[in-house]
PDB file of all heavy atoms in Angstrom:
ATOM      1  N   ASN J  50      84.935 -13.781  65.853  1.00 89.00           N
ATOM      2  CA  ASN J  50      84.724 -14.445  64.576  1.00 89.00           C
ATOM      3  C   ASN J  50      83.856 -13.534  63.725  1.00 89.00           C
ATOM      4  O   ASN J  50      83.511 -12.420  64.134  1.00 89.00           O
ATOM      5  CB  ASN J  50      84.026 -15.800  64.759  1.00 89.00           C
ATOM      6  CG  ASN J  50      82.719 -15.708  65.537  1.00 89.00           C
ATOM      7  OD1 ASN J  50      81.943 -14.782  65.320  1.00 89.00           O
ATOM      8  ND2 ASN J  50      82.475 -16.659  66.426  1.00 89.00           N
ATOM      9  N   GLN J  52      80.412 -13.962  60.953  1.00 93.00           N
ATOM     10  CA  GLN J  52      79.444 -14.925  60.427  1.00 93.00           C
ATOM     11  C   GLN J  52      78.748 -14.333  59.212  1.00 93.00           C
ATOM     12  O   GLN J  52      78.339 -13.160  59.236  1.00 93.00           O
ATOM     13  CB  GLN J  52      78.433 -15.276  61.528  1.00 93.00           C
ATOM     14  CG  GLN J  52      77.622 -16.523  61.285  1.00 93.00           C
ATOM     15  CD  GLN J  52      76.918 -17.020  62.551  1.00 93.00           C
ATOM     16  OE1 GLN J  52      77.080 -16.476  63.645  1.00 93.00           O
ATOM     17  NE2 GLN J  52      76.137 -18.082  62.416  1.00 93.00           N
ATOM     18  N   GLN J  56      69.501 -14.493  53.659  1.00 93.00           N
ATOM     19  CA  GLN J  56      68.084 -14.321  53.972  1.00 93.00           C
ATOM     20  C   GLN J  56      67.283 -14.308  52.685  1.00 93.00           C
ATOM     21  O   GLN J  56      67.506 -13.465  51.819  1.00 93.00           O
ATOM     22  CB  GLN J  56      67.831 -13.029  54.761  1.00 93.00           C
ATOM     23  CG  GLN J  56      66.381 -12.888  55.189  1.00 93.00           C
ATOM     24  CD  GLN J  56      66.111 -11.653  55.987  1.00 93.00           C
ATOM     25  OE1 GLN J  56      66.854 -10.674  55.936  1.00 93.00           O
ATOM     26  NE2 GLN J  56      65.038 -11.665  56.757  1.00 93.00           N
ATOM     27  N   LYS J  60      61.774 -15.009  54.905  1.00 84.00           N
ATOM     28  CA  LYS J  60      62.335 -16.108  55.697  1.00 84.00           C
ATOM     29  C   LYS J  60      63.331 -15.574  56.726  1.00 84.00           C
ATOM     30  O   LYS J  60      63.659 -14.394  56.743  1.00 84.00           O
ATOM     31  CB  LYS J  60      63.054 -17.104  54.765  1.00 84.00           C
ATOM     32  CG  LYS J  60      62.157 -17.724  53.702  1.00 84.00           C
ATOM     33  CD  LYS J  60      61.171 -18.681  54.317  1.00 84.00           C
ATOM     34  CE  LYS J  60      60.271 -19.332  53.285  1.00 84.00           C
ATOM     35  NZ  LYS J  60      61.007 -20.252  52.403  1.00 84.00           N
ATOM     36  N   GLY J  61      63.779 -16.485  57.563  1.00 87.00           N
ATOM     37  CA  GLY J  61      64.763 -16.102  58.564  1.00 87.00           C
ATOM     38  C   GLY J  61      66.163 -16.068  58.002  1.00 87.00           C
ATOM     39  O   GLY J  61      66.371 -16.155  56.793  1.00 87.00           O
ATOM     40  N   LEU J  62      67.118 -15.958  58.883  1.00 91.00           N
ATOM     41  CA  LEU J  62      68.528 -15.921  58.493  1.00 91.00           C
ATOM     42  C   LEU J  62      69.101 -17.327  58.565  1.00 91.00           C
ATOM     43  O   LEU J  62      68.992 -18.000  59.581  1.00 91.00           O
ATOM     44  CB  LEU J  62      69.314 -15.009  59.426  1.00 91.00           C
ATOM     45  CG  LEU J  62      69.274 -13.509  59.152  1.00 91.00           C
ATOM     46  CD1 LEU J  62      67.899 -12.939  59.353  1.00 91.00           C
ATOM     47  CD2 LEU J  62      70.288 -12.791  60.020  1.00 91.00           C
ATOM     48  N   THR J  63      69.729 -17.727  57.478  1.00 92.00           N
ATOM     49  CA  THR J  63      70.393 -19.028  57.439  1.00 92.00           C
ATOM     50  C   THR J  63      71.891 -18.802  57.531  1.00 92.00           C
ATOM     51  O   THR J  63      72.456 -18.049  56.743  1.00 92.00           O
ATOM     52  CB  THR J  63      70.059 -19.764  56.127  1.00 92.00           C
ATOM     53  OG1 THR J  63      68.652 -19.961  56.042  1.00 92.00           O
ATOM     54  CG2 THR J  63      70.769 -21.106  56.075  1.00 92.00           C
ATOM     55  N   LEU J  67      80.950 -19.509  59.240  1.00 92.00           N
ATOM     56  CA  LEU J  67      81.466 -18.855  60.443  1.00 92.00           C
ATOM     57  C   LEU J  67      82.980 -18.944  60.373  1.00 92.00           C
ATOM     58  O   LEU J  67      83.529 -20.043  60.290  1.00 92.00           O
ATOM     59  CB  LEU J  67      80.948 -19.555  61.689  1.00 92.00           C
ATOM     60  CG  LEU J  67      81.498 -19.078  63.028  1.00 92.00           C
ATOM     61  CD1 LEU J  67      80.915 -17.723  63.374  1.00 92.00           C
ATOM     62  CD2 LEU J  67      81.206 -20.073  64.128  1.00 92.00           C
ATOM     63  N   GLY J 115      81.016 -11.260  72.864  1.00 77.00           N
ATOM     64  CA  GLY J 115      80.428 -12.353  72.099  1.00 77.00           C
ATOM     65  C   GLY J 115      78.937 -12.511  72.293  1.00 77.00           C
ATOM     66  O   GLY J 115      78.347 -13.483  71.840  1.00 77.00           O
ATOM     67  N   ASN J 116      78.312 -11.560  72.949  1.00 81.00           N
ATOM     68  CA  ASN J 116      76.913 -11.728  73.337  1.00 81.00           C
ATOM     69  C   ASN J 116      75.927 -10.917  72.533  1.00 81.00           C
ATOM     70  O   ASN J 116      74.741 -10.897  72.851  1.00 81.00           O
ATOM     71  CB  ASN J 116      76.752 -11.414  74.822  1.00 81.00           C
ATOM     72  CG  ASN J 116      77.414 -12.483  75.670  1.00 81.00           C
ATOM     73  OD1 ASN J 116      77.458 -13.638  75.296  1.00 81.00           O
ATOM     74  ND2 ASN J 116      77.952 -12.068  76.797  1.00 81.00           N
ATOM     75  N   GLN J 117      76.373 -10.225  71.550  1.00 88.00           N
ATOM     76  CA  GLN J 117      75.460  -9.604  70.608  1.00 88.00           C
ATOM     77  C   GLN J 117      76.199  -9.435  69.292  1.00 88.00           C
ATOM     78  O   GLN J 117      77.424  -9.343  69.264  1.00 88.00           O
ATOM     79  CB  GLN J 117      74.897  -8.273  71.097  1.00 88.00           C
ATOM     80  CG  GLN J 117      75.892  -7.168  71.294  1.00 88.00           C
ATOM     81  CD  GLN J 117      75.197  -5.839  71.543  1.00 88.00           C
ATOM     82  OE1 GLN J 117      74.745  -5.176  70.619  1.00 88.00           O
ATOM     83  NE2 GLN J 117      75.120  -5.444  72.804  1.00 88.00           N
ATOM     84  N   PHE J 118      75.390  -9.427  68.219  1.00 91.00           N
ATOM     85  CA  PHE J 118      75.951  -9.283  66.890  1.00 91.00           C
ATOM     86  C   PHE J 118      75.659  -7.912  66.322  1.00 91.00           C
ATOM     87  O   PHE J 118      74.595  -7.344  66.548  1.00 91.00           O
ATOM     88  CB  PHE J 118      75.356 -10.333  65.944  1.00 91.00           C
ATOM     89  CG  PHE J 118      75.979 -11.692  66.093  1.00 91.00           C
ATOM     90  CD1 PHE J 118      75.470 -12.607  66.986  1.00 91.00           C
ATOM     91  CD2 PHE J 118      77.084 -12.047  65.339  1.00 91.00           C
ATOM     92  CE1 PHE J 118      76.049 -13.855  67.122  1.00 91.00           C
ATOM     93  CE2 PHE J 118      77.664 -13.292  65.468  1.00 91.00           C
ATOM     94  CZ  PHE J 118      77.142 -14.198  66.361  1.00 91.00           C
ATOM     95  N   PHE J 120      75.252  -6.186  62.691  1.00 95.00           N
ATOM     96  CA  PHE J 120      75.001  -6.581  61.309  1.00 95.00           C
ATOM     97  C   PHE J 120      75.258  -5.442  60.336  1.00 95.00           C
ATOM     98  O   PHE J 120      75.062  -4.265  60.656  1.00 95.00           O
ATOM     99  CB  PHE J 120      73.525  -6.991  61.144  1.00 95.00           C
ATOM    100  CG  PHE J 120      73.208  -8.356  61.643  1.00 95.00           C
ATOM    101  CD1 PHE J 120      72.931  -8.578  62.987  1.00 95.00           C
ATOM    102  CD2 PHE J 120      73.170  -9.429  60.768  1.00 95.00           C
ATOM    103  CE1 PHE J 120      72.634  -9.853  63.452  1.00 95.00           C
ATOM    104  CE2 PHE J 120      72.868 -10.703  61.222  1.00 95.00           C
ATOM    105  CZ  PHE J 120      72.599 -10.912  62.563  1.00 95.00           C
ATOM    106  N   THR J 122      73.974  -3.915  56.556  1.00 92.00           N
ATOM    107  CA  THR J 122      72.637  -3.764  55.971  1.00 92.00           C
ATOM    108  C   THR J 122      72.383  -4.778  54.870  1.00 92.00           C
ATOM    109  O   THR J 122      71.265  -4.889  54.382  1.00 92.00           O
ATOM    110  CB  THR J 122      72.413  -2.359  55.419  1.00 92.00           C
ATOM    111  OG1 THR J 122      73.510  -2.005  54.589  1.00 92.00           O
ATOM    112  CG2 THR J 122      72.280  -1.347  56.547  1.00 92.00           C
TER     113      THR J 122
ATOM    114  N   GLU G 241      68.829 -21.674  60.965  1.00 44.00           N
ATOM    115  CA  GLU G 241      67.412 -21.364  61.042  1.00 44.00           C
ATOM    116  C   GLU G 241      66.638 -22.494  61.699  1.00 44.00           C
ATOM    117  O   GLU G 241      65.700 -22.274  62.443  1.00 44.00           O
ATOM    118  CB  GLU G 241      66.881 -21.094  59.640  1.00 44.00           C
ATOM    119  CG  GLU G 241      65.445 -20.653  59.626  1.00 44.00           C
ATOM    120  CD  GLU G 241      64.953 -20.362  58.218  1.00 44.00           C
ATOM    121  OE1 GLU G 241      65.778 -20.244  57.319  1.00 44.00           O
ATOM    122  OE2 GLU G 241      63.752 -20.271  58.024  1.00 44.00           O
ATOM    123  N   TYR G 273      68.460 -14.706  72.094  1.00 95.00           N
ATOM    124  CA  TYR G 273      68.570 -13.299  71.720  1.00 95.00           C
ATOM    125  C   TYR G 273      67.313 -12.856  70.977  1.00 95.00           C
ATOM    126  O   TYR G 273      66.693 -13.633  70.263  1.00 95.00           O
ATOM    127  CB  TYR G 273      69.762 -13.085  70.779  1.00 95.00           C
ATOM    128  CG  TYR G 273      71.069 -13.645  71.273  1.00 95.00           C
ATOM    129  CD1 TYR G 273      71.413 -14.971  71.014  1.00 95.00           C
ATOM    130  CD2 TYR G 273      71.977 -12.860  71.967  1.00 95.00           C
ATOM    131  CE1 TYR G 273      72.618 -15.493  71.448  1.00 95.00           C
ATOM    132  CE2 TYR G 273      73.193 -13.379  72.402  1.00 95.00           C
ATOM    133  CZ  TYR G 273      73.505 -14.696  72.143  1.00 95.00           C
ATOM    134  OH  TYR G 273      74.692 -15.208  72.580  1.00 95.00           O
ATOM    135  N   TYR G 275      66.355  -9.770  68.191  1.00 97.00           N
ATOM    136  CA  TYR G 275      66.846  -8.737  67.297  1.00 97.00           C
ATOM    137  C   TYR G 275      65.661  -8.143  66.543  1.00 97.00           C
ATOM    138  O   TYR G 275      64.591  -8.744  66.460  1.00 97.00           O
ATOM    139  CB  TYR G 275      67.837  -9.318  66.270  1.00 97.00           C
ATOM    140  CG  TYR G 275      69.198  -9.653  66.810  1.00 97.00           C
ATOM    141  CD1 TYR G 275      69.415 -10.855  67.490  1.00 97.00           C
ATOM    142  CD2 TYR G 275      70.269  -8.783  66.657  1.00 97.00           C
ATOM    143  CE1 TYR G 275      70.674 -11.171  67.978  1.00 97.00           C
ATOM    144  CE2 TYR G 275      71.536  -9.100  67.142  1.00 97.00           C
ATOM    145  CZ  TYR G 275      71.716 -10.296  67.801  1.00 97.00           C
ATOM    146  OH  TYR G 275      72.971 -10.596  68.294  1.00 97.00           O
ATOM    147  N   ARG G 277      64.684  -5.737  62.853  1.00 94.00           N
ATOM    148  CA  ARG G 277      65.068  -4.997  61.661  1.00 94.00           C
ATOM    149  C   ARG G 277      63.910  -4.100  61.257  1.00 94.00           C
ATOM    150  O   ARG G 277      62.828  -4.597  60.928  1.00 94.00           O
ATOM    151  CB  ARG G 277      65.424  -5.921  60.497  1.00 94.00           C
ATOM    152  CG  ARG G 277      65.960  -5.151  59.294  1.00 94.00           C
ATOM    153  CD  ARG G 277      66.503  -6.071  58.218  1.00 94.00           C
ATOM    154  NE  ARG G 277      67.323  -5.318  57.266  1.00 94.00           N
ATOM    155  CZ  ARG G 277      68.071  -5.876  56.322  1.00 94.00           C
ATOM    156  NH1 ARG G 277      68.102  -7.188  56.185  1.00 94.00           N
ATOM    157  NH2 ARG G 277      68.775  -5.127  55.512  1.00 94.00           N
ATOM    158  N   GLU G 282      69.718  -1.774  59.403  1.00 92.00           N
ATOM    159  CA  GLU G 282      70.321  -3.064  59.661  1.00 92.00           C
ATOM    160  C   GLU G 282      69.630  -3.751  60.831  1.00 92.00           C
ATOM    161  O   GLU G 282      68.911  -3.127  61.618  1.00 92.00           O
ATOM    162  CB  GLU G 282      71.821  -2.911  59.972  1.00 92.00           C
ATOM    163  CG  GLU G 282      72.157  -2.238  61.285  1.00 92.00           C
ATOM    164  CD  GLU G 282      72.186  -0.718  61.189  1.00 92.00           C
ATOM    165  OE1 GLU G 282      71.618  -0.163  60.242  1.00 92.00           O
ATOM    166  OE2 GLU G 282      72.793  -0.115  62.090  1.00 92.00           O
ATOM    167  N   PHE G 285      70.385  -5.554  67.690  1.00 95.00           N
ATOM    168  CA  PHE G 285      70.232  -6.306  68.932  1.00 95.00           C
ATOM    169  C   PHE G 285      69.216  -5.632  69.850  1.00 95.00           C
ATOM    170  O   PHE G 285      69.205  -4.399  69.999  1.00 95.00           O
ATOM    171  CB  PHE G 285      71.603  -6.374  69.608  1.00 95.00           C
ATOM    172  CG  PHE G 285      71.596  -6.876  71.011  1.00 95.00           C
ATOM    173  CD1 PHE G 285      71.607  -8.234  71.278  1.00 95.00           C
ATOM    174  CD2 PHE G 285      71.616  -5.997  72.082  1.00 95.00           C
ATOM    175  CE1 PHE G 285      71.631  -8.710  72.583  1.00 95.00           C
ATOM    176  CE2 PHE G 285      71.659  -6.453  73.385  1.00 95.00           C
ATOM    177  CZ  PHE G 285      71.660  -7.814  73.635  1.00 95.00           C
ATOM    178  N   HIS G 288      69.452 -10.077  75.385  1.00 94.00           N
ATOM    179  CA  HIS G 288      70.071 -11.387  75.495  1.00 94.00           C
ATOM    180  C   HIS G 288      69.668 -12.022  76.825  1.00 94.00           C
ATOM    181  O   HIS G 288      69.809 -11.395  77.882  1.00 94.00           O
ATOM    182  CB  HIS G 288      71.599 -11.210  75.417  1.00 94.00           C
ATOM    183  CG  HIS G 288      72.395 -12.419  75.764  1.00 94.00           C
ATOM    184  ND1 HIS G 288      73.614 -12.341  76.424  1.00 94.00           N
ATOM    185  CD2 HIS G 288      72.188 -13.741  75.537  1.00 94.00           C
ATOM    186  CE1 HIS G 288      74.112 -13.558  76.582  1.00 94.00           C
ATOM    187  NE2 HIS G 288      73.267 -14.416  76.059  1.00 94.00           N
ATOM    188  N   ASP G 296      71.598  -8.909  79.082  1.00 92.00           N
ATOM    189  CA  ASP G 296      71.871  -7.608  78.471  1.00 92.00           C
ATOM    190  C   ASP G 296      70.608  -7.166  77.761  1.00 92.00           C
ATOM    191  O   ASP G 296      70.156  -7.842  76.847  1.00 92.00           O
ATOM    192  CB  ASP G 296      73.035  -7.728  77.482  1.00 92.00           C
ATOM    193  CG  ASP G 296      73.404  -6.405  76.804  1.00 92.00           C
ATOM    194  OD1 ASP G 296      72.721  -5.397  77.034  1.00 92.00           O
ATOM    195  OD2 ASP G 296      74.388  -6.397  76.039  1.00 92.00           O
ATOM    196  N   PHE G 331      63.397 -10.868  65.146  1.00 96.00           N
ATOM    197  CA  PHE G 331      64.046 -12.173  65.061  1.00 96.00           C
ATOM    198  C   PHE G 331      64.448 -12.665  66.440  1.00 96.00           C
ATOM    199  O   PHE G 331      64.892 -11.889  67.289  1.00 96.00           O
ATOM    200  CB  PHE G 331      65.317 -12.088  64.213  1.00 96.00           C
ATOM    201  CG  PHE G 331      65.087 -11.810  62.760  1.00 96.00           C
ATOM    202  CD1 PHE G 331      65.273 -10.535  62.253  1.00 96.00           C
ATOM    203  CD2 PHE G 331      64.710 -12.825  61.894  1.00 96.00           C
ATOM    204  CE1 PHE G 331      65.080 -10.274  60.894  1.00 96.00           C
ATOM    205  CE2 PHE G 331      64.520 -12.579  60.545  1.00 96.00           C
ATOM    206  CZ  PHE G 331      64.693 -11.299  60.046  1.00 96.00           C
ATOM    207  N   ALA G 338      79.050 -16.019  70.583  1.00 75.00           N
ATOM    208  CA  ALA G 338      79.597 -15.532  69.317  1.00 75.00           C
ATOM    209  C   ALA G 338      79.162 -16.354  68.108  1.00 75.00           C
ATOM    210  O   ALA G 338      79.825 -16.328  67.073  1.00 75.00           O
ATOM    211  CB  ALA G 338      81.122 -15.443  69.374  1.00 75.00           C
ATOM    212  N   GLU G 339      78.055 -17.062  68.214  1.00 81.00           N
ATOM    213  CA  GLU G 339      77.491 -17.751  67.050  1.00 81.00           C
ATOM    214  C   GLU G 339      75.984 -17.774  67.230  1.00 81.00           C
ATOM    215  O   GLU G 339      75.494 -17.936  68.340  1.00 81.00           O
ATOM    216  CB  GLU G 339      78.031 -19.179  66.943  1.00 81.00           C
ATOM    217  CG  GLU G 339      77.597 -19.896  65.681  1.00 81.00           C
ATOM    218  CD  GLU G 339      78.241 -21.269  65.529  1.00 81.00           C
ATOM    219  OE1 GLU G 339      78.997 -21.675  66.423  1.00 81.00           O
ATOM    220  OE2 GLU G 339      77.981 -21.932  64.501  1.00 81.00           O
ATOM    221  N   ALA G 340      75.240 -17.611  66.149  1.00 84.00           N
ATOM    222  CA  ALA G 340      73.795 -17.516  66.293  1.00 84.00           C
ATOM    223  C   ALA G 340      73.060 -18.270  65.203  1.00 84.00           C
ATOM    224  O   ALA G 340      73.484 -18.297  64.049  1.00 84.00           O
ATOM    225  CB  ALA G 340      73.373 -16.045  66.285  1.00 84.00           C
ATOM    226  N   PHE G 342      69.144 -18.361  63.745  1.00 91.00           N
ATOM    227  CA  PHE G 342      67.975 -17.506  63.792  1.00 91.00           C
ATOM    228  C   PHE G 342      66.692 -18.225  63.410  1.00 91.00           C
ATOM    229  O   PHE G 342      66.698 -19.159  62.609  1.00 91.00           O
ATOM    230  CB  PHE G 342      68.159 -16.322  62.838  1.00 91.00           C
ATOM    231  CG  PHE G 342      69.065 -15.254  63.369  1.00 91.00           C
ATOM    232  CD1 PHE G 342      70.436 -15.438  63.398  1.00 91.00           C
ATOM    233  CD2 PHE G 342      68.542 -14.068  63.856  1.00 91.00           C
ATOM    234  CE1 PHE G 342      71.274 -14.456  63.901  1.00 91.00           C
ATOM    235  CE2 PHE G 342      69.375 -13.075  64.358  1.00 91.00           C
ATOM    236  CZ  PHE G 342      70.740 -13.264  64.381  1.00 91.00           C
ATOM    237  N   GLY G 343      65.599 -17.715  63.983  1.00 92.00           N
ATOM    238  CA  GLY G 343      64.282 -18.126  63.547  1.00 92.00           C
ATOM    239  C   GLY G 343      63.883 -17.360  62.289  1.00 92.00           C
ATOM    240  O   GLY G 343      64.640 -16.529  61.787  1.00 92.00           O
ATOM    241  N   GLN G 344      62.680 -17.637  61.797  1.00 92.00           N
ATOM    242  CA  GLN G 344      62.237 -17.033  60.541  1.00 92.00           C
ATOM    243  C   GLN G 344      61.725 -15.614  60.725  1.00 92.00           C
ATOM    244  O   GLN G 344      61.499 -14.904  59.753  1.00 92.00           O
ATOM    245  CB  GLN G 344      61.152 -17.911  59.886  1.00 92.00           C
ATOM    246  CG  GLN G 344      59.738 -17.705  60.416  1.00 92.00           C
ATOM    247  CD  GLN G 344      59.482 -18.413  61.741  1.00 92.00           C
ATOM    248  OE1 GLN G 344      60.398 -18.905  62.409  1.00 92.00           O
ATOM    249  NE2 GLN G 344      58.219 -18.478  62.115  1.00 92.00           N
TER     250      GLN G 344
END
Side-chain angles (χ1 to χ4, degrees):
Chain J
N50 55 41
Q52 197 165 356
Q56 184 179 22
K60 300 290 181 68
L62 278 66
T63 300
L67 174 73
N116 290 328
Q117 64 170 280
F118 281 90
F120 282 84
T122 50
Chain G
E241 185 179 346
Y273 308 87
Y275 286 81
R277 186 172 195 171
E282 69 275 19
F285 169 84
H288 169 215
D296 181 356
F331 293 101
E339 186 175 2
F342 283 75
Q344 83 281 11

